[in-house]
């Protein structure tokens, strides 16, 4: 009669594991901390010399900040969409070469094309961490006053590319 009591711990474990899995699979986890806040004040060295910061970003319009690396396979996969975004929004897409060498980054861009207005260097990864990076690639839209308007974790797809265009104020394509 009391044999069913032995199954209670296993049933409890299954319930807890199911809840944990559902929380891990949520796409919106952590977004509160990564959007509607200031872009980091980190000053990056540029691949072509000089310095750049995104708080506020260069110019008087919202910009795209894409963190990438030459060793990142998903970065290669998203590159055609970045090229399209660069063509649709000229002068408004910036790259941050994360934990990589300038030589490897330049070879990556020579092979795939360079959609970026400028490329910031982040060899130690400090600037990426200041953005709230969880892993490359990640893309942020930063307002002219230095606020993060949108954060896309992982490689871009057609839907996220459209969200970025909308955050920049572009009409639907």
């Amino acid at each position: 009669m009391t044999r069913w009591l032995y199954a209670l711990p296993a049933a409890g474990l299954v319930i807890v594991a199911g809840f944990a899995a559902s929380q891990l699979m949520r796409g919106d986890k952590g977004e509160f901390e990564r959007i509607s806040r200031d872009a980091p004040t980190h000053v990056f060295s540029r691949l072509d010399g000089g310095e750049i910061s995104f708080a506020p970003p260069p110019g008087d319009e919202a910009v795209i900040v894409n963190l990438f690396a030459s060793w990142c396979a998903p970065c290669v996969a998203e590159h055609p969409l970045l090229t399209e975004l660069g063509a649709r929004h000229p002068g408004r897409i910036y790259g941050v070469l994360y934990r990589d060498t300038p030589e490897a980054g330049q070879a990556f861009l020579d092979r795939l094309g360079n959609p970026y207005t400028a490329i910031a260097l982040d060899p130690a990864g400090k600037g990426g961490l200041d953005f709230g990076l969880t892993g490359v690639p990640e893309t942020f839209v930063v307002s002219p006053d230095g606020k993060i308007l949108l954060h896309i974790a992982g490689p871009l797809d057609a839907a996220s590319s459209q969200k970025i265009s909308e955050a920049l104020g572009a009409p639907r394509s």
Side-chain angles (χ1 to χ4, degrees):
M1 184 88 178
T2 61
R3 285 186 171 172
W4 65 272
L5 289 174
Y6 293 112
L8 282 179
L13 183 61
V14 167
I15 290 170
V16 169
F19 178 75
S22 72
Q23 293 300 308
L24 289 172
M25 300 296 273
R26 277 189 20 217
D28 63 346
K29 65 180 183 284
E31 289 307 306
F32 181 76
E33 295 86 15
R34 290 193 190 103
I35 58 172
S36 301
R37 66 173 177 88
D38 292 335
T41 57
H42 189 91
V43 177
F44 297 91
S45 295
R46 288 175 48 151
L47 182 64
D48 60 358
E51 294 180 331
I52 190 168
S53 178
F54 300 105
D60 58 354
E61 297 179 293
V63 299
I64 303 163
V65 180
N66 174 257
L67 288 92
F68 74 102
S70 67
W71 44 261
C72 165
C75 297
V76 173
E78 79 170 1
H79 204 79
L81 288 169
L82 287 170
T83 302
E84 285 178 23
L85 282 168
R88 258 188 287 165
H89 308 285
R92 295 175 72 182
I93 182 169
Y94 293 83
V96 176
L97 185 60
Y98 179 75
R99 296 184 67 93
D100 208 342
T101 65
E103 297 80 18
Q106 188 62 59
F108 176 88
L109 295 171
D110 289 345
R111 185 168 43 97
L112 298 175
N114 185 353
Y116 304 112
T117 302
I119 298 149
L121 302 174
D122 191 16
K126 172 82 171 89
L129 293 177
D130 289 349
F131 261 103
L133 180 75
T134 58
V136 288
E138 288 194 18
T139 305
F140 297 84
V141 175
V142 181
S143 73
D145 60 348
K147 301 278 187 206
I148 294 176
L149 302 175
L150 180 65
H151 169 233
I152 306 292
L156 298 177
D157 58 19
S160 58
S161 180
Q162 184 63 42
K163 283 182 184 178
I164 289 169
S165 286
E166 290 169 0
L168 291 174
R172 294 198 100 141
S173 57

